Amino acid sequence: DIQMTQSPSTLSASVGDRVTITCRASQNIRSLLAWYQQKPGKAPKLLISGASRLESGVPSRFSGSGSGTEFTLTIGSLQPDDFATYYCQQYNHFKTFGQGTKVEIK
Amino acid sequence: EVQLVESGGGLVQPGGSLRLSCAASGFTFSGSWMSWVRQTPGKGLEWVANIKKDGSEKYYVDSVKGRFTISRDNAKNSLYLQMDSLRADDTAVYYCARDGDGYVYWGQGTLVTVSS
């Protein structure tokens, strides 16, 4: 099974900060990685697929990079609507999610 | 507009059974792989099972193999999850989602609570 490890688990930041979340896969998943944003009581929202492909309607301050086993999600300038929990997910072999990173107000 | 609407959740005793349904609309259901994904406070998001467009292939996470069965009825645009021998650690919100490069479309989720 492929394990996905996100860091940090919690991140405290201010509006306007540049934020980076890391996701590591236990084996090579090529670029078959997605990032999601989830707010309380809601289903996750797909932000990025293929490690770096921004989904339609997602603000350009979100970007993804990486391949193989190391991936990052970057929020270029944190906005009030971005305080949420973020998950990575591999879909190279079945599907596995990371444990999540909560972005909270500093 | 794509819609996925789950139903069938509730409170069930350990060892019991429950059948979840997901009604799909707004896209070609018969042309889509479909998944069930669950979420618990403790374990976060977990893919549970998925099924091929015509139902000929089904895959499961190890923890539910032999207990859960995914199925679909393309004539009714519906996805199902039969859950047997339920355990306390199956307690979660269960989502249906359309497969792809990531899950673009999700339902609103249905809560399953396994408790005596």
Side-chain angles (χ1 to χ4, degrees):
Chain A
D1 293 359
I2 300 175
Q3 310 301 320
M4 305 300 294
T5 303
Q6 280 181 243
S7 60
S9 298
T10 306
L11 189 160
S12 297
S14 302
V15 172
D17 285 353
R18 180 181 179 89
V19 165
T20 299
I21 299 168
T22 298
C23 181
R24 291 186 173 84
S26 61
Q27 58 186 268
N28 184 1
I29 60 169
R30 299 177 285 168
S31 295
L32 300 181
L33 184 104
W35 287 99
Y36 299 85
Q37 177 193 68
Q38 188 178 32
K39 296 183 178 179
K42 299 291 188 181
K45 174 187 176 183
L46 180 64
L47 300 175
I48 287 169
S49 61
S52 61
R53 187 171 59 242
L54 208 62
E55 292 295 309
S56 175
V58 174
S60 60
R61 62 182 179 272
F62 291 93
S63 63
S65 65
S67 66
T69 61
E70 297 270 338
F71 301 87
T72 59
L73 172 70
T74 300
I75 308 173
S77 177
L78 198 64
Q79 297 302 301
D81 191 48
D82 301 339
F83 292 98
T85 300
Y86 293 84
Y87 295 92
C88 63
Q89 177 219 358
Q90 68 82 18
Y91 50 95
N92 180 68
H93 179 68
F94 299 131
K95 296 150 203 310
T96 318
F97 292 87
Q99 80 279 15
T101 295
K102 183 177 182 180
V103 178
E104 60 182 26
I105 301 173
K106 190 172 184 179
Chain B
E1 179 194 4
V2 172
Q3 279 201 316
L4 296 168
V5 180
E6 302 95 338
S7 60
L11 175 64
V12 61
Q13 292 188 340
S17 297
L18 214 53
R19 189 194 195 210
L20 305 183
S21 299
C22 172
S25 61
F27 66 100
T28 305
F29 181 75
S30 60
S32 301
W33 283 71
M34 296 294 296
S35 281
W36 287 99
V37 177
R38 65 186 179 183
Q39 185 167 31
T40 64
K43 290 186 68 177
L45 289 162
E46 182 179 46
W47 167 77
V48 174
N50 66 347
I51 185 169
K52 194 176 180 179
K53 305 171 188 181
D54 61 358
S56 62
E57 295 179 30
K58 306 174 184 182
Y59 301 95
Y60 301 90
V61 69
D62 284 348
S63 60
V64 307
K65 281 180 184 174
R67 301 188 300 121
F68 289 12
T69 303
I70 189 172
S71 63
R72 65 192 297 160
D73 185 337
N74 286 344
K76 294 184 177 179
N77 286 347
S78 292
L79 178 71
Y80 305 102
L81 186 67
Q82 176 67 41
M83 303 187 295
D84 298 320
S85 303
L86 282 160
R87 311 186 305 217
D89 63 357
D90 294 318
T91 294
V93 174
Y94 285 74
Y95 295 99
C96 68
R98 193 179 87 171
D99 263 44
D101 287 347
Y103 295 117
V104 176
Y105 299 111
W106 300 68
Q108 84 287 354
T110 187
L111 176 63
V112 172
T113 303
V114 184
S115 175
S116 55

